[in-house]
Amino acid sequence: MIVTFTANPSLDRTVALPGPLERGEVQRAVSVSQESGGKGVNVSRALVASGLESLAVLPGADSDPVLAGLRESGVPFVSLPIGEPLRTNVALTEPGGVTTKINEPGPLLDENQQEALIKLLVESARGASWVVLAGSLPPGFPADFYATVARRLRSAADGTAPQIAVDSSGAPLAAAVSSDSPSGDGLAGAGTGSGKPDLLKPNAEELAELAAAAGFASPATADELEADPAAAAAAAAAVVRSGVGAVLATLGSKGAVLVTADGAWLATHPPVAAVSTVGAGDSALAGYLLAQGQGAAPADCLRQAVAHGAAAASLPGSTVPAVHQTTPDAVTITALRKD
């Protein structure tokens, strides 16, 4: 069982345009679609589409359109009613896959609701192999929320604690990597131990920020990391040395790198006709977890991650691929140096 946690889920509306976005002009959409979304929700959707058992944990009233969408698509979930509607995000896609996203901030959850969410997740994650903590945090959440959740999950484990993956950005991502001691955020019952993840899934921009914070000696921009996989692997290695178990860094159309304590690899996929990049990174994480759950070696987990990400980019809106829609045999794996 893979449990996903989405603190700030959304109803994702995708508007497909017939040509480039023209600011200040009236344009008619080719199509409009909507899916229940948020990074963790997308991972669960992709896993369920491939026949894996997954449970999505999120806030929201039972009647909220986000939860109704999960119910209709057959994705198991548990939710915490919060008395407010969840947010709606809008993606504008142009021919060729160029995507402009407009994300709402989400509802404000007080400290008691934050604590209730943690308790719901801890209870739901008993016996899980992985817990995925993914996406942005709603207004009012402390930046180190994910680190707090990781510690609570580990301290509450009856036997073997679940492995923890984090896919976020900005301050929550930085705090998940840098925090080792119990949080001072005031949430009741915080456990002890490391809050660092077993797996981190940044994109190139996030990797550049994390590597600089981890003391990487050669600061690089996202464009430079995408253009130079060796530099991306070295940056990811700096993050691994800081105490993170592994880094799966997606590099857009350039593929992805995986760095663990034992090795580093690059995976590339032949170009695809991109339709929408919404959810491609989430699908990549789902592909990695799918392969890992089947006992695949790290390089083959990376292979499936890139195959899933490429398949997602070729699908409309925030549609996630099933494993039979992916082409892992088309992925090329190259071993890299970590330093």
Side-chain angles (χ1 to χ4, degrees):
M1 163 75 83
I2 296 174
V3 174
T4 66
F5 177 69
T6 309
N8 204 13
S10 59
L11 186 67
D12 287 350
R13 290 178 56 83
T14 302
V15 179
L17 300 176
L21 175 66
E22 299 176 11
R23 294 183 60 191
E25 299 296 331
V26 175
Q27 290 177 267
R28 299 188 184 278
V30 173
S31 64
V32 178
S33 62
Q34 66 182 34
E35 295 274 5
S36 300
K39 283 184 171 296
V41 166
N42 290 341
V43 172
S44 278
R45 288 173 50 224
L47 292 171
V48 170
S50 294
L52 265 70
E53 188 178 6
S54 182
L55 178 70
V57 180
L58 67 164
D62 193 58
S63 60
D64 193 279
V66 174
L67 274 63
L70 289 177
R71 194 177 297 112
E72 291 170 6
S73 59
V75 176
F77 67 88
V78 293
S79 63
L80 176 76
I82 57 173
E84 291 187 62
L86 298 173
R87 61 182 180 152
T88 297
N89 294 339
V90 177
L92 307 176
T93 62
E94 306 171 34
V98 175
T99 302
T100 302
K101 293 195 68 179
I102 304 171
N103 291 349
E104 294 182 7
L108 178 66
L109 275 66
D110 63 29
E111 201 168 275
N112 290 333
Q113 291 171 313
Q114 295 171 31
E115 174 62 24
L117 266 178
I118 294 177
K119 289 181 176 178
L120 179 63
L121 174 61
V122 168
E123 183 60 32
S124 301
R126 295 190 186 279
S129 57
W130 281 88
V131 173
V132 177
L133 310 177
S136 64
L137 295 175
F141 274 55
D144 62 351
F145 184 80
Y146 285 146
T148 296
V149 170
R151 287 190 295 269
R152 293 278 290 274
L153 286 165
R154 287 168 176 149
S155 66
D158 296 329
T160 302
Q163 296 188 82
I164 296 171
V166 172
D167 182 3
S168 189
S169 60
L173 179 61
V177 172
S178 63
S179 179
D180 265 328
S181 58
S183 170
D185 55 23
L187 295 174
T192 59
S194 174
K196 293 189 178 183
D198 299 288
L199 175 67
L200 200 68
K201 201 228 65 72
N203 59 27
E205 181 176 355
E206 294 155 356
L207 177 59
E209 295 173 358
L210 289 174
F216 184 46
S218 302
T221 66
D223 289 343
E224 289 169 340
L225 293 181
E226 288 189 357
D228 186 352
V239 179
V240 170
R241 287 194 296 272
S242 74
V244 172
V247 174
L248 169 65
T250 51
L251 306 176
S253 62
K254 304 298 184 180
V257 297
L258 173 66
V259 177
T260 71
D262 300 319
W265 302 267
L266 165 70
T268 57
H269 191 286
V272 299
V275 177
S276 171
T277 59
V278 178
D282 309 330
S283 292
L285 178 54
Y288 179 96
L289 296 175
L290 186 155
Q292 198 274 345
Q294 296 172 341
D300 288 322
C301 294
L302 175 62
R303 181 189 304 277
Q304 189 60 55
V306 169
H308 254 77
S314 70
L315 296 173
S318 55
T319 306
V320 295
V323 66
H324 72 267
Q325 295 173 291
T326 69
T327 53
D329 290 345
V331 176
T332 300
I333 300 291
T334 304
L336 299 173
R337 291 176 55 89
K338 295 191 296 176
D339 47 23

